[in-house]
Amino acid sequence: MASLFDIGKSGLTAYRQALTVTGQNIANIDTEGYKRRAAGMEEVTAGRIFSSLQEIVTSPADLAPRVVAMEQAKMMADKFNEVAMLVDETKAGLVSQLTQQTDAVNILSSELAAVNQQIAATGTARPNNALLDSRDAMIDRISEYVAVTVELSATGVAKLTLGESGNGPAIVNGDKSQKIGVDPQDRSIAFIVAPGAANLVTSQVVN
């Protein structure tokens, strides 16, 4: 029977593998012929991990169970340290992937702002279809990474706000773009707007 620590270790290993698969799916999102992959997981049942301590209770005068219990305690401490390392590695991998994705969003947002500037430069005249197609393609690509609400002006200039409510912070507004970033915290990973400047935490980064 597997111990709780073995189960915890295997669970973290499985999730790390799932993160790797997710990273491959993201990296190959534009690769022709690539098929999306998925990582399957199964439940593992736990056994008793304190049997050695129960032996001490049963035979308190016997030194052998105490020696076994000490060895079991050392093994348990090693398992704790191993699981802690896996947790740190998994979190670091997750932060790395999220950083790559937010960087991609920031690049696309900057490019969309430049297209907005070109559309606005045409004045009240209808911009050419190539600019509109470029605008729509960039909005679609940004939407693949994060949910956004899109508003179009009468001249076709796009405004993008984070989230689906329309009340989130703007990442593209006319010819201006705003970066988003990742802020690893002790017990969570937060998303921020204007990293390195305002550092505004937002809950509108979804999907």
Side-chain angles (χ1 to χ4, degrees):
M1 300 290 284
S3 73
L4 288 177
F5 295 103
D6 290 330
I7 294 171
K9 177 184 173 183
S10 65
L12 284 168
T13 302
Y15 277 108
R16 183 168 59 176
Q17 182 62 33
L19 263 176
T20 301
V21 173
T22 301
Q24 292 173 350
N25 289 336
I26 293 170
N28 292 281
I29 194 170
D30 293 324
T31 302
E32 185 176 353
Y34 180 82
K35 294 184 178 180
R36 182 182 180 87
R37 299 175 181 174
M41 298 186 187
E42 296 181 358
E43 181 180 358
V44 180
T45 56
R48 299 174 59 165
I49 63 171
F50 297 116
S51 58
S52 58
L53 295 178
Q54 293 174 351
E55 289 292 331
I56 294 177
V57 174
T58 303
S59 306
D62 192 352
L63 292 180
R66 296 175 184 271
V67 174
V68 172
M70 288 296 295
E71 290 301 318
Q72 292 290 337
K74 291 178 181 178
M75 290 176 61
M76 185 173 66
D78 290 341
K79 293 287 186 181
F80 268 121
N81 292 330
E82 193 172 354
V83 170
M85 289 178 60
L86 280 172
V87 170
D88 289 341
E89 289 177 5
T90 301
K91 182 177 181 180
L94 181 59
V95 169
S96 176
Q97 288 192 16
L98 291 174
T99 300
Q100 292 176 13
Q101 294 180 54
T102 53
D103 286 346
V105 171
N106 292 336
I107 292 172
L108 291 168
S109 297
S110 178
E111 292 176 353
L112 178 58
V115 172
N116 275 343
Q117 186 176 29
Q118 295 179 53
I119 293 174
T122 63
T124 57
R126 178 176 175 81
N128 62 58
N129 289 333
L131 283 177
L132 297 180
D133 290 343
S134 180
R135 177 203 66 190
D136 293 343
M138 289 179 187
I139 292 174
D140 288 342
R141 291 189 63 189
I142 291 173
S143 298
E144 292 174 357
Y145 291 102
V146 62
V148 291
T149 300
V150 182
E151 298 178 31
L152 299 178
S153 70
T155 57
V157 172
K159 176 183 178 181
L160 269 61
T161 55
L162 290 173
E164 299 172 338
S165 65
N167 298 320
I171 57 172
V172 178
N173 192 0
D175 61 352
K176 307 294 183 184
S177 64
Q178 188 72 273
K179 292 184 177 180
I180 58 175
V182 180
D183 181 18
Q185 301 177 350
D186 289 340
R187 298 187 178 183
S188 63
I189 299 175
F191 291 95
I192 55 177
V193 178
N199 289 326
L200 299 175
V201 177
T202 177
S203 61
Q204 297 297 319
V205 178
V206 295
N207 293 358

